[in-house]
Amino acid sequence: MENIISVSNLKKSFKNLEVLKGVSFDIKKGSIFALLGSNGAGKTTAVRILATLSKPNSGSAAICGYDVVKQADEVRGCISLTGQFAAVDESLTGRENLQLIGKLRRLPNTNQRADELLAAFDLEDSAKRLAKTYSGGMRRRLDIAMSLMGSEKERQVIFLDEPTTGLDPQNRIAMWEMVKNLATDGATVFLTTQYLEEAEYLADKIAILHEGKIIAEGTLDELRKIYPPAKKEYVEIQPTLEEIFLKIVGCDVPGAPQSAKESE
Amino acid sequence: MQVISNSYTMFKRCLTTSLRNPETIGTAIFIPAIVMWLFGILFGNVMDVGDYNYIDFIVPGIILQTVAQAVTAAAIGVNNDMQKGIIDRFRSMDISKSSVLTGHVLSAIVRNMIATIVVIGVAFAIGFRPQAGFLDWLIIAGVLILYMLAITWIAVICGLIAKTPESAGTMPFLLFVLPYISSGFVPVETMPKALKWFAENQPMTPIIDTLRALMLNQPLGNNLLLSLVWSAGIIAVAFTIAVQIYKNKTS
């Protein structure tokens, strides 16, 4: 499979603060890539450069064969960004927000696509309410739905900057399913997260960004091979608080990570 | 044309949101109306402006203040957009760059026109008696729309450079004060030397003189031409600066 994103020796500093110190990676078409790192590691800076919102000091990056600095408009034509802060117009309704993006991108079937996305993101009942009345989870779902309000070409590459930060467990698991579906439909998903289990569950390839550098990169299996092998011990697996919570509130999402898997 | 399509979409967005927050138009009507009442009724009898009724004399200046008050909403709107995540979404999409700003400007023109019409209505109710004919009113509308465009692009710059929506909203206040140092409220000849020089040479004076001449059936002189040149010049400069600031924010 060909690489849809290639990043080579990307550097970025703000005044005297070096945020990215030479970052390189490649992402295959149709895969889910997770950039993992703690707060301040430089994840958002990397996303902003790739999404043409910020320019690197040196190094290069290409998406769909276009240079993110020199051919920014072409890159914009094949990406969709969901930033860290919900990018919705609070004075518009959910449906109007979707229509706004569809009209801006001059989508031929804006209304039909808006209906599909409202259904897919469980927002049909609140479609006519102003986005300022939405809960955090609903806003986040609307936000991602807006990113998908484009032609096939405009959602080849989908950036999700910390999509589950601030979501409750049910919404987080629903979000994971949605991200998986995006990749199944053929999109390439670039995801940043600070949650290890999220990267573990979703990503085909994981890169760990630490203090501005990629310190490890590979599939989950590859990372497991490089780092200390698992010790075999007999342990009694206690349910996690998350499992208890989900059991009590009666939300049993198929495909959710099992605790047994996590304790390997 | 993508620019036109995108600008129209952004215009509809801004118009929808501003109609949902009608208090911005309310303020733009209320404040100039109060000023007009204070000056026209309270001080009107002691003001001597020659052959004019004082209320007739001040209406053009009041209209310019209405425009200044109405554009604060554009400054706040632009600043709000810049502070929030939605601007990153727009910037990461392959759409016309100026359309984000143009949408705010065009919806501001609609708000301005509503506020101006209501303020003229209030003026009429408290004694304003214009003698303008239909053609005069058409020219008045044209001069005003061009002026509104110029002032709104200045407000957009305020919205782009302000750190918070609050400061964006107070920056255009200068535009509200400037009509006082023009031919709007007292004849320029009565002013002290430095103020007189400023008042004679600032763009609001020919615009106010044009409106007054058309409303009260007086000779226009070269004021109409001067107003159009001033407004067109300000639009060209302010538009270029605003779009440049907007683009530079991307690095």
Side-chain angles (χ1 to χ4, degrees):
Chain A
M1 284 268 255
E2 55 182 308
N3 289 327
I4 196 161
I5 301 181
S6 311
V7 177
S8 161
N9 206 19
L10 216 53
K11 288 184 184 168
K12 176 76 179 177
S13 17
F14 295 100
K15 296 199 176 114
N16 294 326
L17 184 69
E18 244 185 311
V19 180
L20 298 179
K21 302 170 183 168
V23 168
S24 307
F25 53 80
D26 295 313
I27 302 175
K28 287 197 170 60
K29 200 173 174 184
S31 66
I32 301 180
F33 176 86
L35 190 60
L36 189 65
S38 41
N39 285 332
K43 302 188 296 291
T44 296
T45 305
V47 168
R48 289 182 66 85
I49 291 172
L50 293 179
T52 73
L53 297 177
S54 176
K55 287 182 184 134
N57 297 112
S58 67
S60 68
I63 299 180
C64 303
Y66 301 115
D67 185 278
V68 295
V69 178
K70 293 186 200 102
Q71 295 166 296
D73 282 337
E74 284 84 353
V75 170
R76 288 177 190 137
C78 63
I79 63 167
S80 276
L81 168 71
T82 305
Q84 204 165 356
F85 303 103
V88 304
D89 188 328
E90 300 193 331
S91 301
L92 296 179
T93 66
R95 174 185 295 279
E96 286 168 342
N97 265 297
L98 291 171
Q99 285 167 333
L100 170 69
I101 303 300
K103 294 258 166 63
L104 285 173
R105 281 176 159 167
R106 298 195 288 175
L107 209 60
N109 51 349
T110 293
N111 291 332
Q112 187 199 333
R113 177 86 183 134
D115 287 336
E116 281 169 23
L117 286 168
L118 286 167
F121 285 83
D122 199 18
L123 289 167
E124 282 164 310
D125 295 340
S126 38
K128 286 182 183 160
R129 269 168 50 198
L130 295 186
K132 70 174 108 184
T133 66
Y134 281 20
S135 70
M138 288 161 71
R139 233 176 255 219
R140 203 70 191 145
R141 293 206 299 276
L142 175 62
D143 198 19
I144 294 178
M146 283 166 76
S147 297
L148 302 180
M149 195 71 201
S151 62
E152 293 266 329
K153 180 175 166 284
E154 285 155 340
R155 46 199 162 92
Q156 287 177 75
V157 177
I158 297 165
F159 290 97
L160 299 170
D161 194 5
E162 302 203 3
T164 59
T165 300
L167 291 191
D168 59 35
Q170 285 117 311
N171 273 314
R172 199 173 72 213
I173 291 166
M175 182 71 71
W176 287 355
E177 290 313 309
M178 197 214 72
V179 172
K180 284 235 156 180
N181 289 338
L182 290 176
T184 313
D185 292 344
T188 307
V189 180
F190 184 117
L191 170 90
T192 74
T193 182
Q194 43 182 321
Y195 302 120
L196 308 172
E197 75 274 23
E198 186 163 295
E200 187 171 344
Y201 177 62
L202 285 175
D204 300 311
K205 193 173 169 189
I206 299 166
I208 300 174
L209 184 64
H210 185 66
E211 292 176 352
K213 281 187 171 160
I214 303 278
I215 52 169
E217 188 191 358
T219 62
L220 187 58
D221 284 338
E222 284 166 357
L223 293 177
R224 280 197 182 114
K225 274 177 208 148
I226 311 171
Y227 294 95
K231 279 182 256 173
K232 276 183 193 160
E233 283 177 60
Y234 173 75
V235 282
E236 193 178 279
I237 298 167
Q238 296 290 336
T240 63
L241 184 57
E242 182 174 324
E243 284 169 313
I244 297 168
F245 175 82
L246 292 174
K247 202 81 200 167
I248 296 170
V249 300
C251 170
D252 224 8
V253 178
Q258 306 292 307
S259 65
K261 214 193 277 175
E262 284 176 341
S263 65
E264 274 179 13
Chain B
M1 280 281 281
Q2 193 179 18
V3 184
I4 295 170
S5 157
N6 287 167
S7 300
Y8 178 70
T9 305
M10 288 295 191
F11 162 63
K12 270 192 11 196
R13 163 191 177 233
C14 294
L15 193 63
T16 308
T17 52
S18 63
L19 292 179
R20 281 181 189 153
N21 302 293
E23 67 275 9
T24 55
I25 299 183
T27 321
I29 292 166
F30 184 68
I31 293 180
I34 290 284
V35 172
M36 181 162 58
W37 181 82
L38 279 174
F39 279 72
I41 305 297
L42 210 57
F43 310 150
N45 294 330
V46 294
M47 294 289 190
D48 182 12
V49 287
D51 299 336
Y52 303 104
N53 267 333
Y54 191 58
I55 185 77
D56 290 340
F57 185 82
I58 62 170
V59 163
I62 294 290
I63 291 174
L64 263 56
Q65 289 194 315
T66 308
V67 175
Q69 187 62 44
V71 295
T72 57
I76 295 170
V78 168
N79 193 264
N80 253 324
D81 269 2
M82 301 307 288
Q83 306 290 338
K84 289 187 179 151
I86 196 148
I87 204 70
D88 284 345
R89 181 185 295 289
F90 293 149
R91 279 217 205 93
S92 69
M93 285 163 57
D94 186 17
I95 58 170
S96 142
K97 287 168 191 70
S98 59
S99 69
V100 180
L101 304 178
T102 309
H104 281 288
V105 170
L106 296 179
S107 79
I109 300 299
V110 174
R111 283 197 304 271
N112 265 302
M113 292 203 285
I114 296 172
T116 303
I117 289 168
V118 176
V119 166
I120 292 175
V122 173
F124 203 79
I126 62 175
F128 172 52
R129 290 295 173 266
Q131 293 142 40
F134 181 69
L135 187 66
D136 297 325
W137 282 114
L138 275 189
I139 303 172
I140 289 170
V143 169
L144 275 177
I145 288 172
L146 213 60
Y147 176 74
M148 288 168 186
L149 275 170
I151 297 299
T152 311
W153 277 108
I154 294 177
V156 167
I157 296 177
C158 296
L160 286 170
I161 60 176
K163 296 269 187 291
T164 63
E166 288 77 13
S167 60
T170 49
M171 277 187 197
F173 183 68
L174 190 63
L175 298 169
F176 189 84
V177 176
L178 277 180
Y180 290 123
I181 316 166
S182 76
S183 61
F185 293 85
V186 290
V188 174
E189 302 80 57
T190 63
M191 293 181 181
K193 209 173 173 190
L195 285 180
K196 179 171 180 262
W197 180 87
F198 180 82
E200 278 173 345
N201 292 292
Q202 71 129 317
M204 288 177 180
T205 295
I207 292 167
I208 286 170
D209 289 348
T210 304
L211 297 179
R212 189 178 288 139
L214 290 165
M215 286 173 177
L216 304 177
N217 226 348
Q218 302 286 317
L220 263 171
N222 62 352
N223 284 317
L224 179 59
L225 181 70
L226 266 177
S227 346
L228 298 183
V229 170
W230 265 113
S231 294
I234 295 173
I235 293 169
V237 173
F239 171 83
T240 312
I241 294 175
V243 173
Q244 204 51 49
I245 297 175
Y246 178 75
K247 282 185 182 167
N248 283 351
K249 291 210 165 204
T250 316
S251 58

